[in-house]
Amino acid sequence: MLAKRIIPCLDVRDGRTVKGVNFVNLRDAGDAVELAKVYSACGADELTFLDITATVENRGTFCSLVARIADHISIPFTVGGGIRNIADVAALLDSGADKISINSQAVAKASVIDELALQFGSQCVVCAIDARRNAQFDKNGEEGWEVYVHGGRTPTGIEVVSWAREAYDRGAGEILLTSMEHDGVKGGFAVDLTRRVSSAVGIPVIASGGAGTMEHFREVFTDGKADAALAASIFHFHEIDIPELKIFLSKHGIPMRTRQ
């Protein structure tokens, strides 16, 4: 089993970190730069920054804030929100991002995944998928899930596993899979969906949405076959601290990345 990654996520609106439940009812979670500094120092393997209103406000990601965060951390840094083209990605990489996360634009124009992978390399391209249960996609006794875009506001009529496979085929280097129904509820990740997506693609899958206990991380790494697990509020509000989580997972036989 390859070493697993723990990734805190900064959902940012108007320069502040926020967190909600099921993508709504957002509350303030602190200064993005200060949180990033803490996570870099305490053993997080990577950091993800999502500008959650950039797409619906039809603007690019705040490069200045990305640059401020990048100046204060020493771990891989993924940035998403409002990315539309090669120029947007180049600006974010110049600001200090290591990888970019693309969601709505990838669904609107799937060939953008090919273009970005060719220009910057697959290792730079994370395809984010926001998923919600939809019984219309149930098949062979398995629950069906639909892809949503625009910060979880818009259904697409696209089935999640098939879209993940297409993103992989087009050159995405990772899948960031978020269950909207599990997001912020703290009842556990969407383990079955994560396992199905992980089994369908040949790239790492980052599980997101639902972390509430250390056991939830163990489940998604073992039963869900996730390569990494992302969480926000439980880290922001110190319900779980990353060093203790890594010790717990290691004791349960799950190899964790170590920092030099």
Side-chain angles (χ1 to χ4, degrees):
M1 185 186 295
L2 295 176
K4 305 299 186 180
R5 290 170 286 152
I6 301 296
I7 306 175
C9 181
L10 306 178
D11 292 320
V12 176
R13 182 181 66 179
D14 300 328
R16 295 287 293 180
T17 305
V18 295
K19 188 61 190 137
V21 176
N22 305 134
F23 284 39
V24 296
N25 300 322
L26 302 178
R27 60 172 172 153
D28 190 88
D31 180 78
V33 176
E34 292 304 314
L35 282 170
K37 289 165 64 176
V38 169
Y39 290 135
S40 181
C42 79
D45 298 301
E46 298 185 14
L47 181 68
T48 291
F49 170 110
L50 300 176
D51 187 335
I52 61 174
T53 57
T55 297
V56 295
E57 293 174 1
N58 194 31
R59 60 169 173 78
T61 306
F62 291 120
C63 288
S64 60
L65 181 56
V66 170
R68 287 172 56 210
I69 292 173
D71 283 343
H72 288 91
I73 63 175
S74 58
I75 54 178
F77 185 26
T78 299
V79 177
I83 294 171
R84 295 155 295 195
N85 51 45
I86 287 174
D88 290 340
V89 174
L92 289 171
L93 297 179
D94 286 344
S95 298
D98 299 290
K99 296 183 279 189
I100 59 89
S101 173
I102 188 165
N103 183 347
S104 300
Q105 183 64 12
V107 173
K109 181 188 174 187
S111 61
V112 74
I113 300 175
D114 307 70
E115 295 168 4
L116 295 179
L118 181 63
Q119 180 75 19
F120 301 104
S122 290
Q123 80 288 342
C124 179
V125 182
V126 179
C127 183
I129 301 175
D130 294 335
R132 184 186 288 277
R133 270 282 292 128
N134 186 336
Q136 293 181 3
F137 293 105
D138 289 357
K139 186 176 182 181
N140 300 325
E142 294 180 321
E143 292 184 336
W145 294 75
E146 183 177 7
V147 176
Y148 274 64
V149 293
H150 302 138
R153 294 168 174 82
T154 308
T156 64
I158 299 171
E159 192 271 327
V160 167
V161 178
S162 62
W163 172 234
R165 189 179 297 114
E166 180 176 351
Y168 162 57
D169 290 339
R170 287 182 175 276
E174 288 184 302
I175 300 292
L176 170 55
L177 177 66
T178 302
S179 166
M180 294 174 59
E181 295 186 3
H182 292 72
D183 176 71
V185 178
K186 302 179 184 177
F189 293 93
V191 174
D192 289 343
L193 176 64
T194 304
R195 180 178 59 249
R196 288 172 56 205
V197 171
S198 296
S199 299
V201 300
I203 53 177
V205 173
I206 305 165
S208 168
T213 68
M214 295 188 188
E215 177 64 17
H216 292 154
F217 286 87
R218 187 199 66 78
E219 291 173 350
V220 83
F221 283 138
T222 55
D223 299 341
K225 302 185 183 303
D227 298 275
L230 178 148
S233 62
I234 60 167
F235 296 147
H236 300 339
F237 301 115
H238 299 285
E239 296 167 39
I240 294 176
D241 287 324
I242 292 173
E244 287 73 20
L245 174 59
K246 286 191 166 187
I247 292 170
F248 171 85
L249 293 170
S250 294
K251 287 181 177 178
H252 284 78
I254 297 172
M256 305 304 300
R257 284 198 178 179
T258 57
R259 297 272 297 277
Q260 298 297 323

